[in-house]
Amino acid sequence: MIDKKDILKMAKHVFKKGGGYPDRRLMHAKRDWAIGLFIFTIVVIAGGVIAGNIFALYNDVALVEGDPGERIPTYNQNAADAALELYRERGVVHQGLQSEGVRVVEEAVVKEVVEVIVGEAEVEEVPALEVN
């Protein structure tokens, strides 16, 4: 166990070595809190100033004067008629396809041979794809 003499000996050693000053490596809670609160205050004030400037800048948006009647889009009769005619033609084609039905090819076999030539020499013959 540690005796009273050992504790006093360690205390004297610590205080003699540092000249009576506390160790600088220890945490200083009051100083750290003061620095943190100071930085927080600066950030809040800066944010408030920036938000205030943005508010002042965009506060007058509704008061902008002008004549909105100048930019009314006009109805283009020719473009509308052309689009309607295009959709009518597509509708006729669609109705024709629905009434006829689609023919399905049951079996088709392609028996062509494709020659693959690299440079001057013939390399190989590859049969074409068979569709079932």
Side-chain angles (χ1 to χ4, degrees):
M1 251 177 117
I2 299 177
D3 297 5
K4 183 178 178 183
K5 290 180 186 180
D6 292 334
I7 294 173
L8 290 174
K9 183 179 175 184
M10 279 194 324
K12 285 180 184 179
H13 176 71
V14 169
F15 282 112
K16 283 183 182 177
K17 185 177 181 183
Y21 294 109
D23 190 8
R24 293 180 186 261
R25 290 178 284 166
L26 294 176
M27 293 177 46
H28 301 284
K30 289 182 181 180
R31 181 189 65 194
D32 295 342
W33 270 99
I35 292 171
L37 287 176
F38 177 73
I39 292 173
F40 176 74
T41 305
I42 295 297
V43 169
V44 168
I45 290 172
V49 168
I50 291 171
N53 285 336
I54 292 173
F55 176 76
L57 179 67
Y58 293 112
N59 192 24
D60 303 340
V61 171
L63 302 177
V64 174
E65 295 181 13
D67 187 14
E70 293 177 5
R71 296 185 182 176
I72 295 175
T74 57
Y75 181 70
N76 189 348
Q77 183 69 35
N78 294 334
D81 289 340
L84 288 173
E85 185 62 32
L86 176 68
Y87 281 108
R88 283 187 195 113
E89 290 173 7
R90 287 184 181 178
V92 169
V93 171
H94 185 263
Q95 288 295 334
L97 288 175
Q98 280 186 337
S99 63
E100 287 180 18
V102 178
R103 291 184 231 163
V104 179
V105 177
E106 294 286 330
E107 188 175 326
V109 179
V110 179
K111 296 183 179 180
E112 296 179 8
V113 177
V114 178
E115 294 181 5
V116 177
I117 301 174
V118 177
E120 295 178 6
E122 290 185 15
V123 177
E124 63 181 284
E125 294 181 0
V126 179
L129 177 66
E130 295 182 8
V131 180
N132 292 328

